[in-house]
Amino acid sequence: MKKIILLLTAVCVSLTAFADEGMWMLPYLQKMNIRDMKARGCKLSAEDIYSINKSSLKDAIVIFGGGCTGEIVSPDGLLFTNHHCGYGSIQSLSSVEHDYLKNGFWAMSHAEEIPAPGLKVRFIRSISDVTAEIVGNVPGIAGQQEYERIVAENTKNLIGELQAANPGMAIEIKPFFGGNQYFAFVIEIFGDVRLVGTPPTSIGKFGGETDNWMWPRHTGDFSVFRVYAGPDNRPAAYSPENRPYKAEKYLKVSLGGYREGDFAMIMGFPGSTQRYMTSYEIDNMLTIANPNRIFIRGERQAILKEDMAASDKVRIQYASKYASSSNYWKNSIGKSRGIRKLGVKERKQEQEAAFQAWAEKNTLPEEGYIDALPKVREAMEGLASVDDDRQYIDEAFLRAIEIMTPARMLDNRSEIKNPERSKESMANWYKDYNAPTDRKVAKRMLKIAREHMTDLPSFYTEIVDKDFGGDTDAYVDYLFDNSLFVSEEKVNGLIDDFSVEKYTSDPVVPFMRSVMEKYGELSAARKPFVEKYNEGSRKYVAGLMLQNPKKAWASDANFTLRLTYGRVLPYSPADGIEYNYYTTLKGVMEKENPQNPTEFTVPEKLKELYAARDFGRYANDRGELPVAFLADCDITGGNSGSPVLNDKGELIGLAFDGNWEAMSGDVAFEPELQRTISVDIRYVLFVIDKFAGAGWLLDELDIR
């Protein structure tokens, strides 16, 4: 283990990155990246971007909610992120009477900004390499169980020390390079976040599913929030007395635009990549994980879409659920397509063959590198035997059939100690629930699970076959006709007069427990294979770095603060096709489609502004209003809402998507094809100012 620690230190001290690939850790910019960044045109120092002694750009970048990035753009805590990142909160605040999804919303004063319950913003206050503290005493020949035991103990102890040294802060310690390196993050969490503005769906989600992951793109994917703090400018629970957070660092905004080849960089929180994935894992992805996800989610989404189209109430209830499901559904389609088309598996096999030859020639058996790939292979073969059924339980039951959720919320209780709190939780959940839709989904899910699973939950034989002659539709009707969990009112009655007997007599409870029991069995069956995989993968990643010590290695994304940089560039997706590097409002007008009003409706006011060419100071030097643009930066999910910055560190756009032709990029970066799609900040400001008439917000920005 000491050999790997020394190697990681050397990698982070001596190398310069030359490729566009890389989600780089900020503490090592000075050693690894800044020389190359400056050669590409960056005018900032590493200290300007990340400093341990003073405020820097990193202090303006936040985790927004549970899976996105945001940026502070004013001294009064104003925050920009994507529309799809704010979508859950916007949906939660919407109703048929106040349909902020469809019509948009704009506060015209601080007093009109709407609290978003449950929404949190996280600032990273410090980052430190704690590899030596976490794995320094792990023997180099330790097996996975010993490794995990020592790491868990060291992590617990270090978190305690860091919490004592940083009162009021949250502490996270995360693994990098497959568990060969560790960083600690000190985080300040603000829970009073308010909606300031959102464009209507016809701008914020223009293009819908059809344009998702596609280029050319014309989506105004942004929303505006504000962080509030207590009188000491520290986190505080919501109170009318709270005041806008006073930001020591915020991003300046540029109206100068960009040209092809210009330097661009992105800071944010990429969620997950698998660049060290082996060919064995790719087999699992292509034959089990992605096909199952595509099929199951597709079946459910078709039902949701039909009901949403028939009712505004249901549309609002399921808007965020549908968007969340369909995004990764289409991602899975594109990822499988890209991996096959671009020969990713074959490239991985070549790398693995070279690694195995190196390991057998240059390492000792007790070091674990020779057996690394065989362990990964054996683990994936074992997992294949259980992952198919386990994924069906996850996707077709736990994620799809909603009526189980409130039943699970009350499971294993002998009494309700705080009825009002339980009712509040139920109210929040039932607000976005429609039992008739869930009934339709449940019927379809029970059918496809029976058709495709080999190891079914016990309720099929013990209840469906015994009492309903195998008729799953009749069983679902019985559940929904007789369960208390179909409505908030009935569940509240159960909470008021709770007993174990009343709870367990509800027909949903044995159904839910049967599903959870099978999920637990399958999860337990995975455990030895996961342990073997973790050990093999950890050794494989460490071995790759030993095999190629002069390469600049970047760790896989794990939702920690990273920087990526590249250039504003077009691309060619196929022979004879050349894509420009930006789009304009003209394309929005050209895409309007009355035959598809859900996805391609253009607001009348936007048409009027376009017809009058009333673009103001937001037009480019050609008189066009830019909408979106491309850069060859390395991002993934979690980067949504990340600021795209120019050579001076000024905000020029908000990253919101990748491109269809490079959907395999989470597994293998494709420099010729991979592009980040971002909404141009000039379009954002144009919509706020000219379209929404909320120009008062721009007064607090530092616009260059």
Side-chain angles (χ1 to χ4, degrees):
M1 186 59 67
K2 290 182 179 178
K3 182 190 295 184
I4 295 302
I5 294 173
L6 291 172
L7 174 65
L8 286 164
T9 301
V11 166
C12 295
V13 168
S14 63
L15 300 177
T16 300
F18 291 102
D20 297 315
E21 177 180 5
M23 302 173 183
W24 305 104
M25 290 297 296
L26 300 189
Y28 294 135
L29 294 180
Q30 180 64 49
K31 301 293 186 181
M32 290 190 70
N33 309 101
I34 197 64
R35 184 185 305 173
D36 185 47
M37 292 170 66
K38 286 183 173 295
R40 290 168 177 258
C42 181
K43 296 180 174 60
L44 301 175
S45 68
E47 184 84 354
D48 293 330
I49 299 169
Y50 172 80
S51 174
I52 60 174
N53 299 312
K54 63 179 183 179
S55 65
S56 54
L57 283 181
K58 74 96 177 166
D59 296 306
I61 317 302
V62 301
I63 297 175
F64 180 86
C68 279
T69 301
E71 51 275 347
I72 303 299
V73 294
S74 87
D76 289 328
L78 198 68
L79 181 151
F80 286 172
T81 190
N82 286 156
H83 180 268
H84 76 261
C85 291
Y87 202 68
S89 292
I90 299 164
Q91 178 271 330
S92 181
L93 295 170
S94 293
S95 63
V96 174
E97 296 75 22
H98 300 286
D99 193 344
Y100 302 139
L101 290 175
K102 181 178 180 180
N103 303 319
F105 165 80
W106 295 97
M108 293 301 167
S109 68
H110 290 315
E112 294 182 4
E113 295 171 357
I114 306 175
L119 180 59
K120 298 183 186 301
V121 162
R122 293 168 169 83
F123 290 83
I124 306 301
R125 295 310 189 194
S126 71
I127 306 170
S128 55
D129 187 336
V130 294
T131 306
E133 292 91 330
I134 300 300
V135 297
N137 62 339
V138 177
I141 59 173
Q144 188 64 18
Q145 287 186 354
E146 184 179 9
Y147 164 87
E148 290 179 0
R149 177 184 61 79
I150 296 173
V151 165
E153 183 177 329
N154 291 342
T155 300
K156 180 180 178 181
N157 292 337
L158 185 55
I159 286 177
E161 293 174 15
L162 291 172
Q163 285 178 332
N166 297 276
M169 301 287 184
I171 308 297
E172 288 186 1
I173 296 177
K174 290 198 173 186
F176 294 74
F177 293 111
N180 290 292
Q181 188 175 29
Y182 286 81
F183 280 86
F185 301 84
V186 177
I187 304 169
E188 189 168 28
I189 304 174
F190 287 77
D192 185 354
V193 185
R194 307 184 192 183
L195 175 64
V196 176
T198 174
T201 295
S202 53
I203 291 176
K205 281 180 68 70
F206 183 78
E209 282 184 38
T210 299
D211 272 6
N212 193 18
W213 304 103
M214 309 304 289
W215 184 262
R217 199 68 174 273
H218 299 84
T219 312
D221 196 348
F222 78 94
S223 55
V224 185
F225 290 78
R226 193 184 302 276
V227 181
Y228 278 73
D232 57 356
N233 207 39
R234 295 294 304 277
Y238 168 78
S239 167
E241 305 306 315
N242 288 347
R243 293 292 178 262
Y245 168 71
K246 296 302 180 183
E248 187 175 354
K249 191 69 178 182
Y250 57 92
L251 299 182
K252 299 177 176 61
V253 178
S254 172
L255 296 181
Y258 39 79
R259 293 285 188 181
E260 182 176 339
D262 280 358
F263 176 86
M265 65 179 179
I266 296 173
M267 295 176 69
F269 295 84
S272 177
T273 55
Q274 305 87 39
R275 299 277 169 78
Y276 299 92
M277 178 181 280
T278 64
S279 61
Y280 314 115
E281 295 158 79
I282 289 175
D283 281 338
N284 181 285
M285 176 189 291
L286 294 180
T287 60
I288 299 176
N290 282 2
N292 284 351
R293 185 179 300 110
I294 292 164
F295 172 63
I296 299 168
R297 291 194 182 193
E299 295 295 299
R300 178 175 181 249
Q301 287 163 198
I303 296 169
L304 299 188
K305 191 171 186 178
E306 182 178 10
D307 279 19
M308 291 166 69
S311 164
D312 282 341
K313 181 175 183 289
V314 176
R315 172 180 57 79
I316 294 170
Q317 287 176 317
Y318 282 82
S320 183
K321 299 174 189 177
Y322 184 90
S324 177
S325 175
S326 65
N327 189 54
Y328 199 35
W329 166 78
K330 190 168 183 179
N331 175 284
S332 298
I333 295 171
K335 185 175 290 186
S336 292
R337 170 188 175 275
I339 285 174
R340 289 191 174 100
K341 185 175 182 180
L342 298 171
V344 174
K345 179 182 174 181
E346 291 73 20
R347 281 184 275 157
K348 293 288 185 180
Q349 289 173 325
E350 291 176 6
Q351 182 184 49
E352 290 158 15
F355 173 85
Q356 193 64 34
W358 168 84
E360 292 175 359
K361 182 179 179 180
N362 297 281
T363 70
L364 299 173
E366 58 266 28
E367 293 180 294
Y369 303 116
I370 295 172
D371 293 335
L373 283 172
K375 284 182 177 177
V376 172
R377 184 191 69 244
E378 293 166 12
M380 296 313 298
E381 289 171 351
L383 287 170
S385 66
V386 295
D387 273 357
D388 197 0
D389 284 339
R390 185 175 181 273
Q391 189 176 16
Y392 260 86
I393 294 290
D394 182 37
E395 291 279 354
F397 290 96
L398 302 182
R399 292 177 183 267
I401 302 174
E402 297 176 275
I403 199 170
M404 288 193 294
T405 301
R408 290 174 64 189
M409 292 164 70
L410 297 180
D411 200 24
N412 296 319
R413 297 197 190 192
S414 59
E415 61 178 327
I416 306 296
K417 295 182 178 179
N418 192 329
E420 291 309 311
R421 182 178 297 175
S422 294
K423 288 182 180 180
E424 182 180 352
S425 297
M426 291 296 177
N428 290 334
W429 188 84
Y430 277 100
K431 182 178 76 70
D432 295 325
Y433 178 68
N434 186 57
T437 299
D438 195 28
R439 183 191 294 243
K440 295 177 187 176
V441 169
K443 287 182 176 181
R444 184 61 183 143
M445 294 299 107
L446 262 64
K447 281 184 179 178
I448 64 175
R450 168 155 259 179
E451 291 168 359
H452 292 85
M453 290 180 67
T454 58
D455 189 7
L456 288 162
S458 60
F459 77 84
Y460 277 99
T461 54
E462 295 175 0
I463 303 177
V464 176
D465 293 345
K466 181 180 177 182
D467 299 335
F468 296 88
D471 188 340
T472 53
D473 281 0
Y475 175 57
V476 170
D477 282 334
Y478 167 75
L479 289 178
F480 280 80
D481 289 343
N482 293 278
S483 176
L484 298 175
F485 294 104
V486 294
S487 80
E488 180 185 355
E489 182 181 6
K490 291 180 179 180
V491 172
N492 284 344
L494 174 63
I495 291 171
D496 285 333
D497 189 24
F498 185 84
S499 72
V500 174
E501 292 75 16
K502 286 182 181 180
Y503 170 74
T504 55
S505 66
D506 192 283
V508 164
V509 173
F511 167 64
M512 176 271 296
R513 286 181 171 176
S514 173
V515 170
M516 295 307 301
E517 181 181 15
K518 181 57 61 179
Y519 189 70
E521 290 174 6
L522 294 170
S523 297
R526 294 181 89 247
K527 190 173 181 180
F529 301 118
V530 170
E531 183 178 294
K532 180 175 284 189
Y533 167 79
N534 287 341
E535 182 172 12
S537 179
R538 175 167 58 87
K539 289 291 187 178
Y540 177 53
V541 174
L544 282 174
M545 290 187 287
L546 288 170
Q547 180 191 7
N548 302 282
K550 293 185 178 180
K551 179 178 177 179
W553 295 94
S555 178
D556 269 326
N558 60 355
F559 204 51
T560 55
L561 186 57
R562 309 288 185 94
L563 179 141
T564 176
Y565 58 93
R567 297 150 294 176
V568 175
L569 283 180
Y571 73 104
S572 174
D575 182 52
I577 301 176
E578 299 288 336
Y579 283 148
N580 195 12
Y581 62 92
Y582 72 97
T583 60
T584 70
L585 190 58
K586 179 175 182 284
V588 175
M589 303 303 152
E590 292 172 342
K591 279 186 175 178
E592 183 176 28
N593 182 5
Q595 305 305 313
N596 186 1
T598 301
E599 296 181 321
F600 293 102
T601 290
V602 180
E604 287 301 317
K605 185 166 184 180
L606 198 60
K607 292 181 187 179
E608 294 169 6
L609 291 166
Y610 175 74
R613 298 296 189 270
D614 187 6
F615 305 150
R617 57 177 173 164
Y618 311 113
N620 63 18
D621 54 11
R622 297 178 182 177
E624 305 162 325
L625 181 63
V627 171
F629 66 100
L630 299 171
D632 65 346
C633 298
D634 188 3
I635 70 164
T636 190
N639 272 121
S640 292
S642 292
V644 187
L645 307 170
N646 64 14
D647 56 356
K648 300 175 184 176
E650 298 166 340
L651 184 64
I652 58 173
L654 312 180
F656 69 88
D657 219 343
N659 60 316
W660 182 249
E661 295 83 5
M663 294 297 290
S664 59
D666 283 353
V667 178
F669 188 81
E670 304 292 344
E672 297 301 317
L673 286 176
Q674 199 149 337
R675 296 293 182 269
T676 295
I677 304 173
S678 305
V679 58
D680 194 301
I681 197 64
R682 291 170 292 186
Y683 189 50
V684 171
L685 301 186
F686 166 83
V687 172
I688 294 173
D689 186 6
K690 295 283 189 174
F691 177 84
W696 74 280
L697 294 171
L698 275 55
D699 293 340
E700 60 185 278
L701 305 183
D702 186 344
I703 299 176
R704 305 298 177 96

